[in-house]
Amino acid sequence: MGTQVRAVPWVRQLVIDTGRAARRRHAIHGLFEADVTSARSALRRDDATRLFTAFVIHCVAAAVAAEPGVQAYRDLHGREIVFDQVDIGVPIEVDVDGKPFAFTHVLRDASRRTVRELNDEIHAVKSDPHLSPSVRKEPWVHAYLLLPGFARVALLGALHRLPRRQQSLAGTVGVTAVGMFGAGAGWGIGFQLHTLSVVVGGIARRPIFFQGVLVEREFLQLTVSVDHDIVDGAPAARFVRRLRELLLAGDGLHESSTAKEQV
């Protein structure tokens, strides 16, 4: 096959604009691992490994609910708005003009929902993207793309200073599963679109001493990014500590198993 000349899909411009706007954030990134051996084992017993992404989202939401300051936003008057509801923005891949594209769907009030409820919504939107309000805003996206580049980037850059609009369009927290590592290990760092963003990387298997015995355990590799203009190290560390605890404990999986037995 020779050299090809192709038109750039219109949705790609959204990615370019987002990257430019994200450069204005003063982000700090932390790369860490969490033991998910027990959680993965429980999911295999339930024959529902596809629940894993929803399980991680559930744990992120619960950890944010315990430390809500990590999803604060500063408005145009310089006031900090701390939401009491955790709305998780997740990328869901759809077909746009014959090509795959990941748009942001918002899982509302995620900390008060079960793993299975989150999973069911994700898969429902994958099956029918028009169930998501984000997809139904496509005409507005086309109108937005008619603006000059500097105006588009300025609007995206100002979104986090409009907390209610941020919550409506993109959620209060971002969670991305990069999926580029296949079955291997690895971390990823994404655009900083939210005060708190979590990138779910690969899973590493390694031998460790666990309860006095040398065993092989599975570790999920995560990148936590925070806007340092709003979040200091102490609350970020408390969030990470709580997230680790929830992932290790398999938080929310018991409820999912109970719901499955009742169906």
Side-chain angles (χ1 to χ4, degrees), residues 166-236:
Q166 166 82 30
Q167 181 187 35
S168 173
L169 293 177
T172 57
V173 176
V175 176
T176 302
V178 293
M180 66 176 67
F181 308 111
W187 285 270
I189 297 177
F191 296 148
Q192 186 70 15
L193 305 178
H194 300 79
T195 299
L196 169 68
S197 297
V198 179
V199 177
V200 182
I203 293 178
R205 300 172 65 92
R206 65 172 61 92
I208 67 166
F209 278 101
F210 182 75
Q211 297 178 346
V213 180
L214 183 64
V215 295
E216 187 176 69
R217 305 284 291 181
E218 294 180 302
F219 292 88
L220 178 64
Q221 297 174 323
L222 299 134
T223 304
V224 172
S225 302
V226 296
D227 186 340
H228 201 29
D229 288 349
I230 299 174
V231 180
D232 289 325

